[in-house]
């Protein structure tokens, strides 16, 4: 793979909207990605393996629980710093950002927000340091966009719960030490349970043959009469709103992350357009290629503004689910379009692992589907502006 020469586009001087702390956090993550992710990620994606050796580095740059209070091992940062870390990691690879998103927003967040103090103290510091890795089990084979229909369930057996069911498409599952699993009680109410690797009847088979997110490990969670201690139930929130609340946090991080992937594709295509000579001139001197680049930088700049504003609203505790949906949907679609155009700008070279673009493009096909599909987010916006839910 080519050396990482990334230079971040900032067409509207948005750095002026960031604090010194934001820039410091972002620059540390950027430098770490250049040093530890870029040189190895193509090889790991090609062999469809998550590079476990980067876990410690992810923890060191604050990627595990950036906004979790320091008393629980988190970095105690604000929402814009969290977003900037996700942007930089996804600039390297969406699969690596997935691992960080799941750990932070889908495992640490529910334990922090819905867990008991004992659960926070027991799990959060180990998750922040990467000593424990976690996964989040919501999606089932027959319930993806409609998680409320889930059939995974648990029964009260007096001194423990008995958990049965299966989850599918679970990031980090093959190596996770713990899983935050969403299941229905006997009355049909959804609760979160912390299931630990090693509990009898709990297995995590890996999902193979993915053409996307190849450097991220994906698997199933199978529960065959798993005895879960009662103290592992998250006591402070139940109902579908509990897992959906975690998704708000993860989707927000993805909105930033997608900008990172888009910036990398744009920057690569811009550099290539100045170097690649056809018909005796750089392809960047042709109107058709300039149109692509001009549209890319316009869309990246719009996404940067949208997402920065969303970060301010998140910091003020005012961002709505629908506002987050709009940013996740817009930015991932923007990044996918840019990846496809950038891929074409590199001609045949664009399909090789010499450049990051094709990997970003394939990764983004998962990002546009997980955490709520492109169409589901459109329906969330539609519901918000009309008051009518068109899902059912
Ligand atoms: P609906 O009736 O609208 O809502 C049920 C209850 O939940 C409340 N609620 C929320 N609460 C907190 N935060 C949110 N974001 C919330 N959204 C809804 C709602 O108020 C209601 O509460 P109550 O008290 O009235 O019961 O639910 P619905 O069944 O009609 O479904 C709505 C829909 C389709 C929008 C939702 O289910 C949805 O978002 N579907 C998409 C599923 C999804 O995103 N799955 C993601 C799985 S995790 C994943 O993909 C990880 S990938 C990670 C990685 O690798 O990065
Ligand atoms: P479906 O829900 O079957 O949707 C199929 C199509 O129908 C989509 O285009 C959808 O938009 C459309 N559709 C569905 N309902 C409607 C409707 N009402 N109106 C119009 N169109 C509709 N899940 C987890 O719980 N944890 C994870 O860690 C996790 N990681 C993932 C990692 C990867 C690589 C992938 C690919 C997925 C992951 N997921 C995870 C699952 C992901 O969240 C689901 O794939 C996603 O929510 C969509 O569900 P589905 O695949 O079952 O598609």
């Amino acid at each position: 793979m080519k050396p990482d020469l990334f230079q971040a586009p900032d067409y509207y001087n948005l750095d002026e909207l960031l604090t010194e702390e934001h820039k410091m956090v972002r620059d540390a993550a950027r430098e770490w990605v250049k040093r530890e992710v870029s040189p190895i990620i193509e090889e790991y994606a090609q062999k469809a393996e998550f590079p476990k050796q980067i876990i410690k580095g992810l923890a060191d740059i604050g990627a595990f629980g950036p906004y979790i209070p320091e008393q629980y091992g988190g970095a105690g940062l604000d929402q814009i710093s969290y977003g900037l870390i996700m942007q930089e990691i996804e600039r390297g690879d969406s699969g690596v950002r997935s691992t960080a998103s799941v750990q932070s927003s889908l495992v640490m967040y529910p334990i922090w927000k819905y867990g008991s103090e004992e659960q926070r103290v027991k799990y959060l510091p180990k998750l922040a340091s990467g000593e424990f890795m976690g996964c989040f089990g919501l999606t089932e084979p027959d319930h993806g966009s409609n998680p409320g229909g889930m059939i995974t369930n648990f029964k009260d057996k007096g001194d423990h719960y008995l958990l049965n069911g299966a989850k599918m498409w679970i990031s980090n599952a093959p190596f996770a030490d713990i899983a935050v699993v969403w299941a229905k009680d006997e009355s049909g109410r959804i609760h979160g349970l912390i299931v630990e690797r090693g509990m009898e009847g709990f297995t995590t088979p890996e999902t193979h043959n993915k053409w996307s997110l190849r450097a991220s490990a994906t698997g199933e969670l199978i529960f065959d009469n798993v005895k879960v201690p009662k103290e592992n139930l998250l006591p402070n929130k139940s109902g579908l709103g509990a897992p959906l609340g975690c998704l708000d946090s993860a989707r927000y991080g993805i909105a930033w992350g997608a900008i990172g992937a888009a910036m990398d594709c744009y920057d690569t295509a811009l550099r290539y357009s100045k170097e690649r000579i056809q018909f005796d001139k750089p392809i960047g001197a042709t109107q058709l290629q300039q149109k692509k680049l001009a549209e890319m930088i316009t869309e990246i700049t719009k996404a940067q503004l949208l997402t920065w504003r969303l970060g301010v609203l998140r910091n003020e505790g005012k961002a709505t689910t629908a506002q987050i949906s709009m940013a996740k949907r817009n930015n991932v679609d923007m990044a996918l379009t840019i990846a496809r155009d950038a891929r074409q700008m590199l001609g045949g070279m664009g399909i090789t692992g010499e450049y990051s673009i094709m990997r970003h493009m394939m990764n983004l096909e998962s990002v546009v589907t997980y955490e709520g599909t492109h169409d589901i987010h459109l329906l969330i916006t539609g519901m918000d502006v009309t008051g009518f839910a068109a899902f059912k």
Side-chain angles (χ1 to χ4, degrees), residues 47-60:
K47 62 183 180 186
E49 192 180 317
F50 172 69
K52 286 198 187 140
Q53 69 274 24
I54 66 172
I55 287 176
K56 166 89 173 52
L58 281 166
D60 290 346

Side-chain angles (χ1 to χ4, degrees), residues 136 138-139 144-145 169-171 366 369-371 373 375 379 391:
F136 175 90
L138 181 63
T139 306
S145 297
W169 294 117
I170 308 304
S171 302
S366 285
T369 290
Y370 68 33
E371 297 273 6
T373 67
D375 286 343
L379 294 176
F391 309 104

Side-chain angles (χ1 to χ4, degrees), residues 28-29 32-33 35-37 40 50-65 73 75 85 89 96 99-100 103 125-133 175 177:
W32 178 79
V33 168
R35 198 179 63 240
E36 303 291 338
V37 178
I40 57 133
F50 172 69
K52 286 198 187 140
Q53 69 274 24
I54 66 172
I55 287 176
K56 166 89 173 52
L58 281 166
D60 290 346
I61 60 165
F64 296 156
I85 294 173
I89 297 175
V96 178
T99 293
Q103 182 89 342
K126 288 187 171 154
L127 290 161
S129 69
E131 183 181 341
F132 274 9
M133 293 302 292
F175 59 81
D177 302 286

Side-chain angles (χ1 to χ4, degrees), residues 94-95 97-99 101-102 106 114 136 138-139 144-149 169 171-172 189 213 216 237 239-248 250-251 254 321 369-373 376-377 380 383 389 391-392:
S94 304
R97 197 269 307 134
S98 270
T99 293
S101 290
V102 169
L106 300 182
Y114 316 144
F136 175 90
L138 181 63
T139 306
S145 297
N146 175 26
W169 294 117
S171 302
N172 298 356
R189 184 124 184 115
L213 282 199
S216 161
K237 188 157 169 122
L240 186 58
L244 292 180
C246 308
L247 296 184
D248 276 358
R251 290 166 177 173
I254 291 172
T321 292
T369 290
Y370 68 33
E371 297 273 6
T373 67
I376 288 295
H377 287 297
I380 291 173
M383 177 171 71
F391 309 104
K392 296 168 186 168

Side-chain angles (χ1 to χ4, degrees), residues 16-27:
E16 291 174 12
L17 298 174
L18 303 179
T19 64
E20 287 310 309
E21 181 175 76
H22 293 150
K23 285 187 266 192
M24 207 172 68
V25 166
R26 183 207 48 204
D27 293 348

Side-chain angles (χ1 to χ4, degrees), residues 139-344:
T139 306
E140 299 189 351
D142 294 327
H143 300 93
S145 297
N146 175 26
M150 71 174 68
I151 51 178
T152 298
N153 67 89
F154 63 95
K155 293 189 168 53
D156 190 335
K157 293 291 179 184
D159 64 340
H160 64 271
Y161 297 119
L162 200 63
L163 178 65
N164 277 289
K167 301 287 177 179
M168 191 180 180
W169 294 117
I170 308 304
S171 302
N172 298 356
F175 59 81
D177 302 286
I178 64 168
V180 170
V181 176
W182 300 94
K184 285 182 174 166
D185 67 14
E186 283 146 291
S187 73
R189 184 124 184 115
I190 293 170
H191 296 265
L193 297 155
I194 302 170
V195 180
E196 299 189 12
R197 184 171 295 283
M199 287 180 176
E200 206 178 325
F202 174 42
T203 49
T204 61
E206 184 155 2
T207 303
H208 296 290
N209 292 332
K210 292 181 300 167
W211 284 113
S212 175
L213 282 199
R214 287 171 64 80
S216 161
T218 313
E220 296 168 58
L221 305 175
I222 314 265
F223 313 105
D224 180 10
N225 286 319
V226 181
K227 283 185 183 174
V228 181
K230 286 203 152 169
E231 64 264 24
N232 284 27
L233 182 115
L234 299 177
N236 295 330
K237 188 157 169 122
S238 62
L240 186 58
L244 292 180
C246 308
L247 296 184
D248 276 358
S249 177
R251 290 166 177 173
Y252 166 76
I254 291 172
W256 281 93
I259 296 174
M263 291 197 304
D264 197 50
C265 293
Y266 164 77
D267 180 59
T268 305
L270 177 61
R271 192 172 306 107
Y272 192 85
S273 77
K274 293 177 185 173
E275 292 166 357
R276 178 69 177 165
I277 311 290
Q278 289 295 290
F279 300 98
D280 303 322
K281 64 177 185 182
I283 59 168
T286 66
Q287 288 187 352
L288 280 175
Q289 305 314 318
Q290 286 187 8
K291 176 175 188 288
K292 290 193 185 76
L293 291 165
E295 285 175 353
M296 285 180 202
I297 191 62
T298 306
E299 291 307 315
I300 288 171
T301 304
K302 283 154 68 179
Q304 286 171 326
L305 280 161
L306 179 80
T307 313
W308 175 83
R309 175 63 188 152
L310 186 63
V312 172
L313 291 173
R314 291 272 298 170
N315 277 341
E316 293 170 352
K318 289 191 208 153
T320 66
T321 292
Q323 286 168 336
I324 295 167
S325 273
M326 181 184 282
K328 191 269 183 187
R329 179 174 185 274
N330 179 77
N331 293 8
V332 178
D333 189 53
M334 173 278 296
L336 200 43
T337 303
I338 287 177
R340 288 172 181 155
D341 283 347
R343 216 285 311 141
Q344 289 197 48

